[in-house]
Amino acid sequence: MNLSPDKQREMLRQMLTIRHFEERASADYHAGKIYGVVHCYIGEEAVAVGVCSALETGDQIISTHRGHGHCIAKGADLNRMMAELYGRQGGYCKGKGGSMHIADFGIGMLGANGIVAGGISIVTGAGLAAQMDGNGRVAVSFFGDGASNAGPFHECLNIAATWKLPMIYVCENNMYAAQTAAAATHAMPDVAGRAAGYGIPGVVVDGNDIFGVYQAAARAVARARAGEGPTLIECKTYRWRAHTERAGQPDFRTAEEIEAWKTKDPIARLSGQLIAQGSMSEADLKALDQEALASIAASVAFAEASPFPTPEQALEDMYAA
Amino acid sequence: MRELTYAQAGVEAVAEEMRVDPRIFYMSTDPIMPLVKEFGDKRVRATPIAEAALTGISIGAAGSGYRPIMDWRQVTFSFVAMDQIVNQAAKIHYMFGGQRTFPILYRANVGGGTRLAAQHCQCPYSMFMNLSGLKMFLPSTPYDLKGLLKTAIRDNNPVISFESNRLLTTKGPVPEEDYTIPLGVADIKRKGTDVTIVAIAWLVHEALAAAEELAKSGISVEVIDPRTLVPLDVETIRASVRKTGRLVVADEAGPTAGFSAEVAAVATEDPETFARMKSPVRRVCALNVPIPYSPPLEDHVFPDRKRIMAGIRDVLEGARSVRGG
Ligand SMILES: Cc1ncc(C[n+]2csc(CCOP(=O)(O)OP(=O)(O)O)c2C)c(N)n1
Ligand SMILES: [Mg+2]
């Protein structure tokens, strides 16, 4: 693996940005400035950043209801993201989407999706388009352990394997689907094991180890670009916060379990590695953290300055010309 | 003029558009052989039987610059793809603030008369009409089908082409020259002055037969075929009803929350139209049951020219509307 110090630093910056974005989104949600629902990705940042670091401009991804991390890792504009959460005109979807529906087609981010497993086939269509274009682009589907039990996962793996589509299916196994433990809904503990049924590689990686994630993704991307077909990567990880920020939702996970996973913080792990290998100082880390924080503060300022949509705008964007 | 069947007109529309636009490709669980022969198995794909995935794959390919056509075949097979239709295709343009266009054509066969029973024939288009974000049509002639399909393939939105099972082998004139028919424009299939009948698909032909019969007793019936269900040509319907003062709606689907209900509502909620109405609206629809198999059962469920004539007589006498057959 030859990741330049700059690239490693950039990976850390993105992870810090995701973390701070969501800490702010959570706080602003509880302050009543963000509506509906927010699903935080905190604790899982290494998956989105590790995978997207192996991609190039022109590659496409699709996300889930827990989508902020994927957006940021693919290079989305924080201002327009935050403005969307704030329900403002300046948001990515002009306030029509909110947290669960942020997309930036221009950067190949085909959208968060409010329906579990809802995006898997859409991004497989992007993979088919890439194959037909013959331009070496790949497409990545992010989805949860819960989504891996839904039909689209199986239909799409079979189609992608049969047609050798340039796809990478990334299962973010955070061990729970809302309140339900994966152990109660999966006959086999490893989702990656299902790849065998479709005749494609299935790999399990430590989702909190960004280099491990990156390596697995880079291998899958190379395979896809070479026309050899899809790979299923399962990243074992954990979300620190409740399923959503909505109040009053049960969380059956034990405090011990949550605390144990916090000691495996993917950000602390990467920053520790960078400092230990001498590619970064404590002061550098602090500066990077400040940089991330400042970008979030700026995004909030942008969101607050952006007007709410006018009621009549509810009728805009129904059909394309 | 040359004659083609309804099915042939559909294939010809697709082939003509595929010839001029390389971004169009076609997916269905069993491909149409003449299309495979002309365009190859990459542009006309035989797919796994996975309608949910394919419906979504169409969305992703459309968002990536292609113009997919996905053939659900029987509309009942589209029901396994409801998430992709309802939550994704219908909403993706609006929900993401119009960032991308999604030019997709979904094709689906609807209607009875095939003895295929409940899971292979249905007229559920009003379910789809109820969604915001999809356009859709249901033509009654080969000419209309071809012209509307060509427009739909060039449209930058998801469009559903509902195609009538009963009409697949019926022939009609289709010119050799290139033509299109705009979405949202009804066709007055017969002019008349006493009663307006709004009908779609096979029932257009039944309505025309009823009109012909009634003409013998001096009753003048205007037959309107909206052709497009969304957007519906409301003005043509209202203008006709304002002229005749009477409205019968014939539909191969059941009446409940159906196409017929929509037509009745758009006519009567317009004060000017309502003011000129001389009798209540009469709907001539299928019975509200899953489509049964045995011929006497199936034939009883669907309306036909006889029931249409009875409906017309009802509105002429100002009789109270009676639901169903
Ligand atoms: C089809 C569907 N069913 C149920 C839900 C409600 N829901 C939202 S997220 C979620 C859990 C998803 O779990 P998983 O796929 O593991 O993703 P995670 O939340 O763990 O990231 C559920 C049940 C939904 N959004 N869509
Ligand atoms: Mg999960």
Side-chain angles (χ1 to χ4, degrees):
Chain A
M1 193 180 57
N2 51 352
L3 284 169
S4 68
D6 274 359
K7 175 117 180 176
Q8 296 182 23
R9 184 180 168 283
E10 172 58 16
M11 289 161 103
L12 180 59
R13 189 192 64 76
Q14 288 180 15
M15 289 168 78
L16 288 165
T17 306
I18 295 170
R19 175 115 0 142
H20 289 311
F21 183 92
E22 294 209 316
E23 282 169 348
R24 185 62 192 255
S26 162
D28 288 359
Y29 177 83
H30 294 291
K33 295 179 183 172
I34 294 172
Y35 318 97
V37 72
V38 165
H39 300 83
C40 285
Y41 194 63
I42 293 175
E44 307 183 24
E45 296 93 340
V47 179
V49 177
V51 171
C52 290
S53 297
L55 301 180
E56 284 167 17
T57 313
D59 294 332
Q60 297 187 287
I61 68 166
I62 214 159
S63 175
T64 68
H65 53 286
R66 200 176 299 289
H68 310 143
H70 308 128
C71 286
I72 292 170
K74 195 72 173 80
D77 175 27
L78 299 174
N79 292 354
R80 295 181 68 196
M81 283 180 68
M82 194 62 89
E84 189 58 36
L85 298 197
Y86 269 64
R88 306 302 173 102
Q89 278 188 17
Y92 262 117
C93 314
K94 308 174 197 166
K96 292 202 174 83
S99 167
M100 282 192 291
H101 307 298
I102 297 181
D104 184 347
F105 285 82
I107 60 163
M109 160 57 193
L110 308 188
N113 207 299
I115 301 299
V116 169
I120 301 177
S121 58
I122 298 175
V123 74
T124 301
L128 173 60
Q131 184 188 61
M132 293 191 295
D133 284 340
N135 59 8
R137 283 195 279 109
V138 304
V140 179
S141 183
F142 289 101
F143 57 92
D145 47 286
S148 76
N149 289 335
F153 167 82
H154 299 276
E155 291 190 12
C156 288
L157 257 67
N158 179 58
I159 291 174
T162 306
W163 291 352
K164 290 202 182 327
L165 298 184
M167 292 296 307
I168 298 101
Y169 294 96
V170 180
C171 179
E172 307 181 307
N173 188 346
N174 59 12
M175 295 166 52
Y176 292 86
Q179 279 68 263
T180 306
T185 56
H186 290 62
M188 296 198 300
D190 289 344
V191 172
R194 298 173 180 184
Y198 302 104
I200 61 169
V203 267
V204 179
V205 296
D206 175 352
N208 286 21
D209 168 20
I210 191 160
F211 296 133
V213 172
Y214 172 83
Q215 243 169 353
R219 216 171 285 134
V221 167
R223 176 180 145 82
R225 288 205 210 287
E228 290 161 24
T231 302
L232 172 61
I233 301 174
E234 176 182 10
C235 300
K236 306 275 194 191
T237 185
Y238 199 80
R239 66 171 151 76
W240 289 10
R241 299 189 60 82
H243 172 55
T244 82
E245 294 301 304
R246 279 178 104 91
Q249 290 199 326
D251 191 347
F252 301 114
R253 305 176 308 167
T254 63
E256 296 77 49
E257 185 178 283
I258 297 171
E259 288 313 309
W261 274 93
K262 284 187 178 172
T263 66
K264 303 184 210 171
D265 180 2
I267 293 181
R269 185 160 166 182
L270 175 58
S271 55
Q273 280 169 307
L274 296 190
I275 289 168
Q277 79 199 25
S279 49
M280 203 166 157
S281 68
E282 288 283 356
D284 291 337
L285 172 60
K286 196 148 192 179
L288 208 55
D289 198 48
Q290 288 306 317
E291 191 187 317
L293 265 174
S295 65
I296 302 307
S299 76
V300 170
F302 176 88
E304 283 183 332
S306 176
F308 276 104
T310 62
E312 306 75 52
Q313 286 177 319
L315 289 172
E316 292 176 4
D317 296 321
M318 268 309 297
Y319 292 106
Chain B
M1 198 187 293
R2 149 191 93 132
E3 299 226 314
L4 289 182
T5 66
Y6 192 86
Q8 285 168 336
V11 174
E12 192 171 276
V14 171
E16 285 179 8
E17 292 302 301
M18 286 187 76
R19 272 172 218 142
V20 293
D21 191 340
R23 296 169 302 166
I24 301 168
F25 72 102
Y26 200 100
M27 296 193 287
S28 72
T29 53
D30 286 297
I32 300 171
M33 284 328 288
L35 291 179
V36 180
K37 223 173 143 205
E38 179 171 354
F39 300 103
D41 61 6
K42 287 286 180 282
R43 283 188 75 196
V44 182
R45 289 179 174 248
T47 68
I49 305 159
E51 289 82 357
L54 295 160
T55 301
I57 284 172
S58 303
I59 303 169
S64 306
Y66 283 84
R67 305 184 75 85
I69 301 175
M70 204 235 142
D71 195 342
W72 290 318
R73 308 177 66 221
Q74 283 305 326
V75 72
T76 49
F77 308 156
S78 77
F79 298 158
V80 303
M82 270 300 160
D83 170 52
Q84 292 301 317
I85 302 165
V86 180
N87 278 314
Q88 316 294 344
K91 298 174 184 172
I92 194 165
H93 184 267
Y94 181 86
M95 189 172 77
F96 291 142
Q99 288 189 35
R100 264 288 151 92
T101 57
F102 297 89
I104 310 166
L105 174 68
Y106 295 114
R107 298 181 74 187
N109 290 352
V110 297
T114 50
R115 314 298 187 219
L116 286 171
Q119 292 180 336
H120 283 76
C121 41
Q122 195 166 336
C123 296
Y125 27 80
S126 72
M127 277 170 50
F128 295 84
M129 288 171 70
N130 190 251
L131 307 169
S132 305
L134 301 173
K135 300 180 182 179
M136 61 203 71
F137 54 81
L138 172 49
S140 65
T141 65
Y143 176 85
D144 287 350
L145 176 62
K146 183 178 174 191
L148 286 163
L149 272 174
K150 289 178 67 111
T151 301
I153 293 169
R154 298 176 195 180
D155 197 283
N156 281 327
N157 296 278
V159 183
I160 303 176
S161 172
F162 292 113
E163 301 173 25
S164 167
N165 280 319
R166 289 187 204 258
L167 297 176
L168 292 175
T169 56
T170 60
K171 283 195 162 177
V174 178
E176 311 254 2
E177 315 76 73
D178 187 36
Y179 70 95
T180 57
I181 296 172
L183 297 178
V185 179
D187 189 33
I188 301 175
K189 297 287 188 200
R190 180 186 175 110
K191 285 216 172 275
T193 51
D194 298 329
V195 182
T196 298
I197 170 143
V198 175
I200 41 178
W202 170 64
L203 289 175
V204 172
H205 303 280
E206 291 299 290
L208 287 169
E212 192 63 35
E213 187 61 31
L214 291 169
K216 293 177 193 159
S217 30
I219 300 168
S220 168
V221 177
E222 178 144 304
V223 179
I224 293 186
D225 177 0
R227 304 189 290 195
T228 306
L229 306 177
V230 178
L232 187 62
D233 184 353
V234 173
E235 262 327 299
T236 298
I237 295 169
R238 285 179 178 161
S240 174
V241 177
R242 285 200 287 264
K243 179 177 73 178
T244 63
R246 298 182 180 89
L247 174 61
V248 173
V249 192
D251 187 10
E252 224 180 317
T256 307
F259 162 79
S260 62
E262 180 66 14
V263 171
V266 299
T268 54
E269 75 185 355
D270 175 50
E272 242 183 87
T273 307
F274 185 71
R276 310 224 188 137
M277 288 186 73
K278 301 167 190 157
S279 91
V281 180
R282 176 75 159 80
R283 290 190 286 162
V284 181
C285 296
L287 306 181
N288 267 329
V289 293
I291 298 179
Y293 161 68
S294 180
L297 299 177
E298 185 181 24
D299 294 344
H300 179 64
V301 164
F302 290 110
D304 57 7
R305 63 190 72 182
K306 278 196 202 128
R307 286 189 206 162
I308 291 172
M309 282 194 280
I312 292 170
R313 291 218 163 84
D314 280 352
V315 295
L316 283 167
E317 289 156 20
R320 269 188 62 102
S321 173
V322 183
R323 185 180 261 215

